[in-house]
Amino acid sequence: VPIVLVGVGYDRPLVQWSRGEYPNANQTQDDLAIISGNVPYEPDDHGNTSATATLLTATETGAVTSQGLVTTRTDVDAFRFFTQTGSVTLNGNPFELSTGKANLDVQLTVLNALGNTVAVVNDTATLNATITTNLTKGFYTAIIDGIGRSASGGDSGYSDYASIGWYTFSGSLVPNSIPVVNATSTFVVAYEGELLPNSGTWSDPNPDDTVTLTASVGTIQQFANGTWAWSMPTTEQFTDLVVTITATDDLGGVGTRTFTVSAENRPPVVTVGQANVAGNVLSMLTNSGTWADVSADTVTLSASLGTVTRNTDGTWSWSFVPSQAYANETVTITATDEDGGSTKIQFTIDA
């Protein structure tokens, strides 16, 4: 047997399902229970509390907007937003079935970051709700609720039983201006093993904002006078690494600045102990010295004459037994790393 739900609102602005929660009702049939037994309720589209609220970010002009659905009499929809200090306007407008007619009577509540009520509007003359008030800088939560209306005079009023339906939430906030970051150098280069440095300035158009600086790599120091200093140690060569400095204020505004850094290969360093080595033909001539490079590099030593040995303690040893006479003969010791960097040092021999 089909179930028939009937009733019309004619000239009434609010048209709802009912279960007789009004004076002199002669029909207590639970319309929503019957409907939901055949067609399930829509899933909840927005959280009900500040902790689960949908976060709205204002445009550059301060506008926010969203849509939602109050599904049951216990459902409320929460929207979280941030604003700078100033006048704020918030609107909750029900979806109109036709001009001036809706299912939802909106109550709009604003809570501060501590959860305390800042303002509540339920205009008994209309189904929408508008709040215009001055707010101090911070995060707030706006809550949309379907509300009823008490009986008054010849108006029998209505409960919040079926004050449900679609709505639009919108607002005009005081927009947050993002922090500004500048860098002294757009390109920084140093030898591997050295410190890469850079510096710059930071500021915020809103003087009472708290700004925090972070760096994508390296270490950044932020100073109260609006400057910053950045550095990064290097161990081996690399090219064109992009570093991003991010400035974030306490309302979530973000400004960035990028620069590029490179670490060039440093050739090995070689020293020699004696500028000249002399001895007899067929006797062993020797010399020694030191070599050094960054720990990430592997160094190979070679000699133009004789034999050179690279020792792990950063020294080298050279030896040669001449089979003929030499007069002021040049010997070259070459140190080469795997990145192609090389250094030569020379001494002479006489035999």
Side-chain angles (χ1 to χ4, degrees), residues 92-307:
N93 295 306
F95 172 76
E96 292 189 344
L97 306 172
S98 60
T99 303
K101 296 182 182 293
N103 294 139
L104 175 66
D105 186 356
V106 175
Q107 175 176 281
L108 181 58
T109 303
V110 179
L111 308 177
N112 63 18
L114 298 177
N116 299 323
T117 300
V118 175
V120 180
V121 169
N122 174 30
D123 189 346
T124 58
T126 65
L127 300 180
N128 63 299
T130 297
I131 292 176
T132 297
T133 185
N134 288 319
L135 297 179
T136 58
K137 165 192 163 183
F139 282 89
Y140 294 85
T141 301
I143 296 179
I144 297 285
D145 187 13
I147 200 71
R149 189 174 68 194
S150 300
S152 176
D155 185 349
S156 60
Y158 47 88
S159 73
D160 65 351
Y161 164 77
S163 191
I164 57 178
W166 290 98
Y167 64 87
T168 298
F169 173 74
S170 61
S172 176
L173 313 178
V174 183
N176 182 40
S177 299
I178 64 173
V180 178
V181 190
N182 291 303
T184 302
S185 301
T186 58
F187 181 74
V188 180
V189 63
Y191 281 120
E192 58 183 354
E194 294 182 343
L195 205 64
L196 286 164
N198 205 354
S199 60
T201 61
W202 64 271
S203 61
D204 196 296
N206 304 114
D208 60 341
D209 281 1
T210 299
V211 176
T212 302
L213 299 184
T214 58
S216 58
V217 292
T219 302
I220 190 168
Q221 293 177 285
Q222 180 180 357
F223 303 109
N225 65 355
T227 63
W228 55 266
W230 173 89
S231 63
M232 187 179 76
T234 62
T235 57
E236 58 181 334
Q237 72 171 1
F238 59 83
T239 58
D240 297 336
L241 173 66
V242 176
V243 180
T244 301
I245 305 298
T246 301
T248 306
D249 66 27
D250 51 346
L251 290 182
V254 176
T256 62
R257 181 67 59 183
T258 61
F259 57 92
T260 305
V261 297
S262 294
E264 295 182 347
N265 183 47
R266 179 193 290 276
V269 177
V270 188
T271 66
V272 64
Q274 301 178 73
N276 176 263
V277 178
N280 297 321
V281 174
L282 299 181
S283 65
M284 181 173 289
L285 305 180
T286 62
N287 206 348
S288 61
T290 63
W291 65 272
D293 205 338
V294 295
S295 59
D297 284 356
T298 301
V299 176
T300 302
L301 300 181
S302 61
S304 61
L305 187 65
T307 302

Side-chain angles (χ1 to χ4, degrees), residues 75-96:
D75 180 35
V76 298
D77 287 351
F79 298 93
R80 192 163 184 254
F81 62 90
F82 57 80
T83 182
Q84 288 288 347
T85 300
S87 178
V88 169
T89 297
L90 303 172
N91 306 288
N93 295 306
F95 172 76
E96 292 189 344

Side-chain angles (χ1 to χ4, degrees), residues 328-339:
N328 202 33
E329 181 73 19
T330 298
V331 178
T332 301
I333 304 297
T334 303
T336 306
D337 63 28
E338 80 273 22
D339 296 319

